[in-house]
Amino acid sequence: MANTWSIRGRALKLNTAADVEEHSKDLRANDNIEEIHLEGNTIGVEAAAALASMLETKKKLRIANLADIFTGRLLAEIPQALTSLLQALLKCPELHTINLNDNAFGLNTVEPLRPFLSQHTPLQHLHLNNNGLGPAAGALVAESLAQLADNKAKAKSEGNKNVPDLETVVCGRNRLETGSMSAWVKAYTANNKVQTVKMVQNGIRQEGIATLLQHGLSKCKQLRILDLQDNTFTSLAAKTLCNTISKWPVLIDLGVGDCLLSARGGLQLGEALSHGTNKQIEVLRLQFNEIDSKGVKAICDAALHDTALPRLRRVELNGNKFSEEDPNVEKLQELLSARKEDAEQKYPGIDVDDDDAWGVDELDELDDEDEDD
C-alpha cells in the first residue's frame, strides 16, 4: 500500500491549506502515488486548491476516490472546490478511475464535471452514484461522455495508441428519468465498448427504458454487467429487453429486479434466454417483477437447456407471484447447486462460500397466485 494515500472515513473538516498540510505530508513526498482516497471527509474551497496543487504533480495516479467529500458545504463552495480538484486530475495522464459517489451535485453544481468528463481521455471507469442530478444535469453528463468518445477517437487518430475505451458507467440513484434518455442513447452509441452499466433507481419509465435499450445499449456488444434495477419496465420495455438481449453475447450479470417486468415479460425473458445467444450469463436478478409460474417455468427451461445458459449459477426470484413449492424452483435449485460443486474449476474468482453468489435466493416474500385465486 506504499503507493496509496488515504484519509478515507476520518470525518475531517478541511477548510484551509494548513488543514490539508497537517494530513498530506506523505502525499506531497511521494511522486509514485497511484491511488488517493478522500472519501468521507468534507473539503472546502481553500483546502481543495491546496490538494489540487499536489495532485496535479502525481503523474502515476490511476485511481481517485472523491466520494462524499462535500457534506455540510454551502452550495456556492462545491463548484469552486470541485473545479480545483478535477482540473488537477486532468493533468494526471494515467488516471483511469474516478469515484464521485454521494456528492450532491444537482443542476446547480454539475458544471465543473463537464470539462473533466469530456476531456479526460484516459478515463475508463466512472462512478457517479447518488448525486441528485435530475434529468437536466443527467443529460449534461451524458452529453459530456459522448464528447469524451469523440476526444478519445481524436487522440487515437493523432497517434496516441494507449487511449482506453470507456468501460464502466455507474450512474444510479440520480433521478435521470425518461427525459434524459435520448442523451444517454448518444453516450452509449458513442462509447459502444462499455462493459459495465449500472443505472439503478433512476425513475426511468417504460418508454425511456425501451429507448435506452433499443437505440443505445443495443450497440454495446461487449456489455458484461447490466443493472437497471428499480426502474419501470412493464411489458413494453420487457419486450424490448427480450428483443435486445441477443445483442450482448458476453453478458454475465443481468439486473432487472423491482422493475415490474410483468407476468408476460417474465415469460418472454425466459423464452429469449432459451435461444442460446447468452451463453455467458451467470446471474439473473429478477426479484419483485410479478413473474408467475409460467415465467418461472420458462426461466427454468432455459437453464436446463443443454446449451442456452450453461454458466448460470444464481437466480433471484423473491417477491414474484408463484408458490415456493413450484416444482420448477426445485429443479432450478438442484441444477445451480450441482454447478456450485464445480465452482473452483469453472468459476475462478467466485467465492464458493458466498451464499449470495449461488442458487436461488430466499423466497420469503412470494405472492402465491393460487392464494389470490
Side-chain angles (χ1 to χ4, degrees):
M1 301 293 286
N3 292 330
T4 297
W5 180 73
S6 176
I7 53 172
R8 174 189 278 165
R10 293 174 59 181
L12 300 173
K13 190 166 186 178
L14 303 177
N15 295 318
T16 67
D19 293 337
V20 171
E21 192 65 33
E22 182 182 343
H23 300 282
S24 60
K25 292 180 178 61
D26 291 342
L27 174 63
R28 184 182 293 281
N30 189 350
D31 287 335
N32 295 315
I33 287 289
E34 295 180 2
E35 292 187 32
I36 60 157
H37 296 272
L38 307 179
E39 181 180 5
N41 300 283
T42 179
I43 300 173
V45 175
E46 184 183 327
L51 274 170
S53 68
M54 288 181 254
L55 293 178
E56 67 183 13
T57 67
K58 308 306 175 188
K59 302 305 181 185
K60 295 185 179 180
L61 186 65
R62 297 163 60 82
I63 297 171
N65 183 346
L66 277 60
D68 186 20
I69 59 170
F70 296 122
T71 299
R73 293 292 166 182
L74 297 174
L75 199 60
E77 289 182 275
I78 298 175
Q80 290 176 268
L82 188 61
T83 295
S84 294
L85 293 169
L86 293 182
Q87 287 297 313
L89 294 177
L90 267 175
K91 298 174 183 176
C92 300
E94 296 186 19
L95 179 73
H96 58 63
T97 299
I98 188 163
N99 183 340
L100 292 159
N101 293 349
D102 304 318
N103 289 304
F105 295 144
L107 186 57
N108 293 324
T109 56
V110 75
E111 203 58 38
L113 277 176
R114 298 176 68 189
F116 178 84
L117 293 181
S118 61
Q119 296 170 25
H120 190 65
T121 55
L123 186 63
Q124 282 179 278
H125 308 289
L126 172 64
H127 298 262
L128 261 180
N129 209 59
N130 189 31
N131 301 107
L133 293 177
L140 294 175
V141 167
E143 289 169 8
S144 298
L145 294 178
Q147 292 168 8
L148 175 66
D150 290 342
N151 285 326
K152 283 177 179 284
K154 182 181 177 182
K156 289 177 182 177
S157 70
E158 292 172 350
N160 189 340
K161 297 179 180 179
N162 296 320
V163 177
D165 296 310
L166 184 65
E167 292 183 13
T168 302
V169 177
V170 178
C171 194
R173 298 181 65 195
N174 269 311
R175 296 184 300 106
L176 297 179
E177 300 177 4
T178 298
S180 71
M181 287 303 102
S182 59
W184 283 99
V185 163
K186 293 175 183 175
Y188 289 125
T189 301
N191 294 282
N192 60 14
K193 301 292 198 313
V194 70
Q195 297 180 23
T196 297
V197 171
K198 296 185 177 183
M199 300 178 73
V200 305
Q201 199 178 346
N202 270 310
I204 311 169
R205 299 193 62 78
Q206 54 266 38
E207 298 86 359
I209 290 289
T211 297
L212 179 68
L213 292 171
Q214 182 177 352
H215 301 294
L217 292 174
S218 64
K219 310 291 197 304
C220 303
K221 311 293 187 186
Q222 297 178 30
L223 197 60
R224 294 166 60 82
I225 297 173
L226 176 60
D227 194 346
L228 296 173
Q229 294 183 94
D230 202 4
N231 291 290
T232 304
F233 277 57
T234 71
S235 57
L236 169 70
K239 183 177 181 181
T240 307
L241 172 66
C242 296
N243 290 337
T244 307
I245 199 167
S246 63
K247 309 288 188 183
W248 308 317
V250 294
L251 189 68
I252 292 174
D253 191 323
L254 175 65
V256 288
D258 204 10
C259 285
L260 287 176
L261 284 185
S262 75
R264 181 189 299 175
L267 176 61
Q268 291 174 328
L269 180 60
E271 291 172 346
L273 291 170
S274 72
H275 294 158
T277 54
N278 302 97
K279 298 180 189 299
Q280 300 302 313
I281 282 186
E282 297 182 11
V283 181
L284 293 171
R285 306 183 192 278
L286 306 171
Q287 293 186 340
F288 297 96
N289 270 314
E290 299 187 353
I291 297 171
D292 62 12
S293 58
K294 293 178 182 176
V296 174
K297 183 179 187 306
I299 292 162
C300 180
D301 287 348
L304 291 168
H305 194 287
D306 288 344
T307 59
L309 296 171
R311 294 189 56 77
L312 188 66
R313 57 179 168 81
R314 172 72 169 177
V315 182
E316 297 179 358
L317 285 168
N318 191 32
N320 284 296
K321 304 185 74 171
F322 57 87
S323 167
E324 189 174 354
E325 283 73 42
D326 190 305
N328 288 294
V329 173
E330 186 176 348
K331 289 179 188 175
L332 198 52
Q333 186 66 275
E334 288 176 358
L335 173 69
L336 303 183
S337 296
R339 287 181 180 171
K340 183 178 179 180
E341 294 177 8
D342 298 328
E344 292 183 12
Q345 290 77 30
K346 294 186 178 180
Y347 303 90
I350 305 299
D351 187 352
V352 72
D353 296 320
D354 181 3
D355 290 339
D356 291 339
W358 303 93
V360 178
D361 59 332
E362 187 174 347
L363 302 176
D364 57 353
E365 295 183 61
L366 291 177
D367 184 5
D368 190 341
E369 57 192 347
D370 294 332
E371 290 179 10
D372 290 348
D373 294 342

